[in-house]
Amino acid sequence: MTEKELKIGDIARLTGISEQDVRTLVQTYDSLFTCRTIGPVRLFPPKTVRIVRELIELSGKGLSPDEIVGEIRSGRKPSPEEPAGEVDRTAVPLPPEVVIDLGVMQDTLARQERRIARLVDELKREQGLRVEEIGRLQKTVDDLQEQLRAQREQLGVVAEWVDYFDRRMDEATRPVLERVRRTVARKSDPGQPSGRSG
């Protein structure tokens, strides 16, 4: 598990000094600190608490800033007069925060999983609706094709009737003498086809 990064407020609470004092130390001894920035928030590694404690201790000894930096960079350990129990007590809050963060992470993960499950259900529902819609559209297309076929048949019948009435009108509008001649010709030659004259 990665170490929990700390904000200025966390460092102030763990070291027992104000947030403003922590900011002042970070600005004054910026070469001793590493951090990463997320928007306006700076996040520091857990070792920052130890560095701040050492800075507080060494500042009380009348050393110059350069000497303090040298002491801390040399890997100097806290002096024996600092009770070990005090260090342990102030360091204890870190693991519970990590555990709380783990719980928050688990809750977030569970929420995300529920959201993903909801989205999957919605997607399946949408797919079902699309399948139904495609079925309805296909039925509509089939109905339209059937109607078109029926209309074509009706148009064919209408066309036959129009041809029939055209022939009858032609017969009716021919001069009487020509009609009689055609009728006589038909009777004398039954094999001759009847139809419209050209």
Side-chain angles (χ1 to χ4, degrees):
M1 186 183 299
T2 58
E3 294 181 319
K4 176 176 170 45
E5 294 177 303
L6 305 171
K7 294 184 278 191
I8 293 285
D10 299 327
I11 297 166
R13 184 174 47 76
L14 292 170
T15 56
I17 64 174
S18 70
E19 290 185 24
Q20 186 55 50
D21 289 341
V22 174
R23 285 191 184 90
T24 302
L25 288 173
V26 169
Q27 288 171 355
T28 305
Y29 300 98
D30 64 334
S31 65
L32 295 174
F33 296 97
T34 58
C35 70
R36 70 185 181 100
T37 304
I38 299 178
V41 178
R42 288 188 295 176
L43 298 173
F44 297 85
K47 68 178 183 178
T48 305
V49 174
R50 177 184 54 79
I51 294 171
V52 168
R53 283 191 182 128
E54 291 179 7
L55 285 172
I56 295 167
E57 179 189 336
L58 293 171
S59 295
K61 293 190 174 181
L63 299 173
S64 71
D66 290 338
E67 290 172 330
I68 291 173
V69 170
E71 286 285 321
I72 291 175
R73 286 207 171 141
S74 69
R76 170 198 167 285
K77 300 290 182 196
S79 63
E81 56 263 21
E82 180 179 339
E86 184 68 25
V87 173
D88 290 341
R89 278 198 302 275
T90 56
V92 167
L94 277 179
E97 289 177 10
V98 171
V99 171
I100 289 169
D101 282 350
L102 180 60
V104 169
M105 287 169 54
Q106 288 172 335
D107 289 345
T108 303
L109 181 60
R111 275 197 307 273
Q112 293 297 331
E113 286 174 347
R114 287 194 297 271
R115 185 164 183 255
I116 289 169
R118 277 197 309 272
L119 290 172
V120 167
D121 289 343
E122 287 175 16
L123 181 60
K124 286 179 181 174
R125 209 164 31 250
E126 282 293 320
Q127 287 174 335
L129 291 173
R130 294 293 83 80
V131 167
E132 289 175 11
E133 190 174 337
I134 289 169
R136 284 195 300 271
L137 288 173
Q138 185 61 51
K139 185 177 183 314
T140 302
V141 168
D142 291 344
D143 290 346
L144 289 173
Q145 287 177 337
E146 180 61 28
Q147 290 173 15
L148 181 61
R149 186 191 59 75
Q151 286 175 356
R152 282 181 179 156
E153 286 180 3
Q154 291 173 357
L155 285 174
V157 170
V158 169
E160 288 177 10
W161 277 102
V162 167
D163 285 345
Y164 171 77
F165 283 117
D166 278 350
R167 284 194 302 274
R168 297 296 292 176
M169 288 300 292
D170 283 348
E171 291 291 331
T173 57
R174 284 197 179 106
V176 175
L177 185 58
E178 186 181 335
R179 277 188 289 171
V180 170
R181 203 176 330 151
R182 286 176 61 87
T183 303
V184 170
R186 231 183 282 136
K187 286 183 181 177
S188 62
D189 187 10
Q192 181 182 352
S194 63
R196 296 167 61 179
S197 62

